[in-house]
Amino acid sequence: MITYDLQDVKKSYVRGSVRVIALNGVSLKIHAGEAVAIGGRSGSGKSTLMHLLGGLDHPTSGVVVHSNKELRTLGERELSRRRAKCFGFVFQSFFLLPTLTARENIEAAMIPLGTSPIPRRNRAIELLGQVGLADRADHLPGQLSGGEQQRVAIARAMANDPEVVLADEPTGNLDRRTGSEVLDLLQDATAAADRTLIVVTHDQTVSERFDRSITLADGIVVGDQRRSMRSSY
Amino acid sequence: MTPWWAFLLAEVRHRRRLSIVSLLMYVVAVTLIVVSSGIATSLREAEDAAIRPLTRLDSNLYLTRRPPDAGTPDATAFAVEREQTRAASVLDLSKLGPTGQRFSSDFFLPATAFTFDVAQLGHLSLLTDVQGVSPALTLRAVHREGTVPAIVAQYVVQPATVALARPRAEDQAIINACLIKFIQSLPKPTGPPPPKGAYGVGIDIPFTSAYYACLPARLRQVRIEEQVFREILAPPTTNIRDSTIEVAGIDPKRAFGILTRGDLVDGRWFDGDEGHQVIASASYAARMGLSVGSPLQFHETSLRVVALVKPALKGLSADIYLPLNQLQAMSGRDGRVNLAVVAIRDSESAAHMRSDLERKSPGFAVYTPHDVAGQVTGTLADTASLAQIVGSALMVLVAAASMAACGLFSAAGMRGRRPELAMLRVIGWSLLRTRVQLVAEQMVVVLAGVGVGASLGAVVLGVVAMVAPTLSATIVPPAVGEYSPTQLATVSVRLNPHIDPLASLAPIALIVLATAVAAFWATSKLRSVSARDLVEGAQ
């Protein structure tokens, strides 16, 4: 089943007085359950592509279809709901809310879907257990290490059992060992739930861990390599 | 605690300094509202007790006589009364008796207006809508007593010219200076030096004197009154003292007028068969230690207090009340009154009747209790006016303060939080939910400010209540002619400030609402928050 269908997607924006072309005609399909690495050098457009996939931004031209729905056609509320329900996000800088505990950060992701407080709390504790932080539930982000914060971010991304987990340089701020552990966690968590995992990375060793590796350069796809199938599609 | 509340309170705590500044602004605003509304309410209650009765008394009309135009038949009688009044107030020391002897004298001055023959009211009874007319005589009784001083100089008073007008204060100063110069030029009195308490009055100033030479031409036509000499020559160093009492003569048979049976608080109404009765106002009785049955010496007559009254403030109350004919006889004003209360059949037609009466009663001024209410002066009226002005200014201040506090907090709430807010949007918080979150942060502060401010306001009001300032309202009737109206009634009201939840509610609700609206408006910038803020925030 096709999760994403991108057709001739272009994205440009103005930075200062310069028009920057981030994506210059990207077309690709991503199937449900795939684990995809999107690689490329800095400025190749990979983060922009992830924003478009997550409905955080819209293309200048072309279409981004997710689960048979073009994201651009969705209203603000519908798009917000889709982000909450269908997408889980993990970022390089974690972006945990600094004034909330680890558990509350995970619960915050369940608020938009109207999950009741007790199930919400139980789910957050369950996820913290899955990422090995059951004993850190009441710690603030500032009291956690970088690896622990990223684990909390992964737990938050999985909170609503999303169809797709989008991770933008999830190991960028971590040492190699911790980064590897985080990747393991991401891949295990999504594989166990048969979810699609899309990781943006500039690290070739990270890309090599994925079933499929898409390479961008100057806003276009210059490589799309499949190694093995994690699941059938 | 749910993440929503935890997030909200944590954010407020996180920006502690700004939260405290914002909170203080709300506390000050709410405290001001609670205090001012509490005081305004107590002032309103004081007004209800003291001033409002003026406007809800009755629809009676009141008539007094205007000074007649020069050359009219009434002008002569008017001039005579005026001269009598003036003469009555002038003290001729030469007629008091031997030096050192105690003396006392009593005389009457018109309290508010000149008198007129009661027969001039005859036409009023013929008017269709007039139910009745109750004439009254209001006078100021002056009792003067003291020791006869030594006479050190005596001059014949012969006014050189006719008075044109009272000089202005600056002209009076020039006149006084010339007088002193003139007096100093007079020969010194012979004989032994005057004893302490000497008093002198009366000068005849020839036109050729140094006095007129000293004056500028424009002031040479101004007559010098004896009073002027007295003030300049001999400041009152004797023990001569005047005491005044407001006295009103009323028709006891009338059911309406400036005093009615309904005003009695103790005792009984006048008994027609009994003489020497007097009714005293409760305030005067309290001042003089009188009660029902007390004897009262008035104008060389022994009276007995038969009742105490607390008349509504019609601007016409007096210290004591006598039967009209008795006061007329005492004051040498037989058949004369200076006020008529006109009862009309239909209160709805008061305005029409007023103009009708004015038209058909030339020479009379017509007014209503409502006019009197407009003449209320004193600390109560002043404070009430001030409270109204302050109240209006306060609303503007409060609105500005709350908007400023809100702007301060909201702007700071946005500043530096774009990545965080962008993250909320990323994880699926809708724009509306995110805005509500920020508004709620502000509302926590404003509601805390309301709580603290209301408590503080209650404390301040409690302190003011302990001090319990006393305010007074003075009722002054409309001025008639060249006579300045005299003060006829004063009431004192003890201010009892307390929280008025209803009066405070609206402005406080306004603050809360203004804050909510302003905060919501301030969060409109969230529309531009995007995933790029995450990236830029991280860099």
Side-chain angles (χ1 to χ4, degrees), chain B residues 21-40:
Chain B
V21 170
S22 190
L23 177 73
L24 285 178
M25 291 178 79
Y26 286 118
V27 167
V28 169
V30 172
T31 303
L32 283 172
I33 285 173
V34 170
V35 170
S36 68
S37 65
I39 289 177

Side-chain angles (χ1 to χ4, degrees), chain A residues 11 13 51 56-57 76 80-81 83-84 89 91 93 95 97-100 103-104 107-109 111-112 120 156, chain B residues 1-4 6-7 10-11 14 419-420 423-431 433 531-532 534-535 538:
Chain A
K11 177 68 181 179
Y13 51 87
H51 293 161
L56 302 176
D57 207 349
E76 194 276 326
S80 293
R81 186 167 179 79
R83 277 203 298 271
F89 294 89
F91 293 93
S93 298
F95 293 120
L97 299 172
T99 53
L100 296 185
R103 176 181 57 77
E104 288 166 346
E107 284 192 59
I111 287 176
R120 198 166 64 198
R156 179 179 65 185
Chain B
M1 189 181 290
T2 65
W4 192 83
F7 185 38
E11 288 302 326
H14 186 62
E420 189 182 306
M423 192 60 218
L424 286 175
R425 303 276 289 115
V426 165
I427 63 175
W429 284 43
S430 66
L431 179 63
R433 183 184 292 276
R532 193 166 297 123
L534 285 176
V535 180

